[in-house]
Amino acid sequence: MEIMTPQHGCAWITGASSGIGAALAEELARRGWQVAISARRDSELQAVAATHANIHGFVCDVTDRAAMAQTVADIEAQLGPIALGVMNAGIYLPTALPEFDPTAFDRTFEVNLTGTVNGLAALVPLMVTRGEGHISLVSSVAGYGGLVTSAAYGASKAALFNMGESLAMDLKPSGVHVSMIAPGFVKTPATDVNAFPMPFIIDADEAARRIANGLAKNRTHISFPRRFAWFLRVLNVLPRSTYVKLAGRFMKR
Ligand SMILES: NC(=O)c1ccc[n+]([C@@H]2O[C@H](COP(=O)([O-])OP(=O)(O)OC[C@H]3O[C@@H](n4cnc5c(N)ncnc54)[C@H](OP(=O)(O)O)[C@@H]3O)[C@@H](O)[C@H]2O)c1
């Protein structure tokens, strides 16, 4: 599968007004990409765009399917074909118990899952027609297995893995590469509010470097930091009852 480079077209990152998406925009711009960034907050997008001449802001809510299609059309009209799409927009709403608020699940799935589907709906037909392209879904190590307070978030991220793996198989004959990104803890506005311990946490610039390196090698699964990702993967090959016991204990330390 051909590796997408700035010679093939531009990159589009959703949810790039802060955190990992903003850092990845800067990293890809430094590597020569023209980068379209989208999110809901215009002033934050403009602040990220001001960091590098190659970065261009497009206000868009991922939950608005028609707006996502229009944004892709606007990006391609301004910057040319999108060769690399990183579906990064996401939210984490801790599962509040014992109330169990179903609307937190609705909102999480709407942004993390349907928002990604809306991006795919806009990008896949264009890339298939062109016979090339790379779409990367930002999941999480929280998608490998259940974790404390992550019933909604983890379920949405597990769904992204399953969806991405299916699409990687289905789209391969069309020349379109699909990859999944599984960060561990990264210091961003989303994690700044967490009151629990976050083992092996790294900063957003380091996360962006690891993502950009993985994308440039066409890795299908990009996970980091390596020690934390492997630790969770090993926990996940244990019998499920042992996993639930150990993962629950580890996260409560
Ligand atoms: N930080 C971590 O430890 C970690 C670990 C694993 C995975 N991740 C994943 O990495 C991605 C980025 O997270 P982050 O930590 O960088 O958090 P963040 O700084 O809060 O960034 C989230 C981004 O998503 C955007 N967003 C949220 N709702 C949106 C919507 N409806 N439409 C369009 N954009 C929307 C936000 O922009 P607006 O508010 O301006 O729309 C923001 O740019 C997420 O998918 C997250 O689940 C993060």
Side-chain angles (χ1 to χ4, degrees):
M1 187 86 59
E2 195 172 356
I3 295 177
M4 291 297 104
T5 67
Q7 281 64 52
H8 294 89
C10 68
W12 173 38
I13 308 170
T14 66
S17 59
S18 64
I20 295 170
L24 181 62
E26 291 176 41
E27 183 64 31
L28 291 181
R30 277 193 294 271
R31 295 182 187 210
W33 286 88
Q34 289 294 324
V35 187
I37 56 171
S38 64
R40 292 164 305 172
R41 293 168 298 164
D42 192 25
S43 55
E44 277 77 358
L45 278 179
Q46 294 317 321
V48 178
T51 63
H52 199 291
N54 286 7
I55 305 178
H56 315 268
F58 296 80
V59 175
C60 182
D61 186 327
V62 292
T63 66
D64 184 337
R65 187 163 296 162
M68 286 285 274
Q70 186 58 52
T71 298
V72 164
D74 292 345
I75 292 168
E76 296 215 336
Q78 192 176 317
L79 302 174
I82 297 171
L84 171 65
V86 183
M87 303 298 102
N88 167 74
I91 55 170
Y92 163 67
L93 301 175
T95 314
L97 295 171
E99 295 83 8
F100 201 89
D101 174 12
T103 65
F105 286 74
D106 295 342
R107 185 69 190 144
T108 301
F109 297 156
E110 193 186 12
V111 176
N112 297 4
L113 195 51
T114 307
T116 298
V117 170
N118 292 341
L120 287 162
L123 275 183
V124 167
L126 293 172
M127 288 184 173
V128 168
T129 302
R130 293 195 279 260
E132 63 181 28
H134 181 169
I135 303 175
S136 197
L137 314 184
V138 178
S139 179
S140 165
V141 294
Y144 291 162
L147 292 173
V148 293
T149 73
S150 286
Y153 181 75
S156 74
K157 295 300 189 179
L160 288 181
F161 278 131
N162 198 304
M163 193 171 81
E165 287 175 1
S166 295
L167 290 172
M169 298 171 202
D170 291 342
L171 288 172
K172 194 171 180 201
S174 317
V176 178
H177 181 52
V178 178
S179 62
M180 283 130 286
I181 299 169
F185 290 112
V186 181
K187 189 174 165 26
T188 69
T191 50
D192 284 346
V193 296
N194 289 347
F196 53 80
M198 292 183 279
F200 304 107
I201 190 163
I202 60 172
D203 67 31
D205 290 338
E206 181 59 29
R209 272 192 296 278
R210 294 184 192 209
I211 292 170
N213 289 342
L215 293 173
K217 289 180 183 144
N218 255 8
R219 290 232 169 93
T220 299
H221 190 109
I222 303 166
S223 63
F224 55 85
R226 211 166 282 172
R227 271 192 298 170
F228 189 45
W230 272 107
F231 171 71
L232 288 174
R233 277 198 230 173
V234 169
L235 271 190
N236 270 288
V237 297
L238 296 173
R240 296 318 292 174
S241 54
T242 310
Y243 169 82
V244 171
K245 212 180 286 172
L246 293 182
R249 248 188 244 159
F250 174 73
M251 294 299 287
K252 280 195 174 122
R253 281 186 318 161

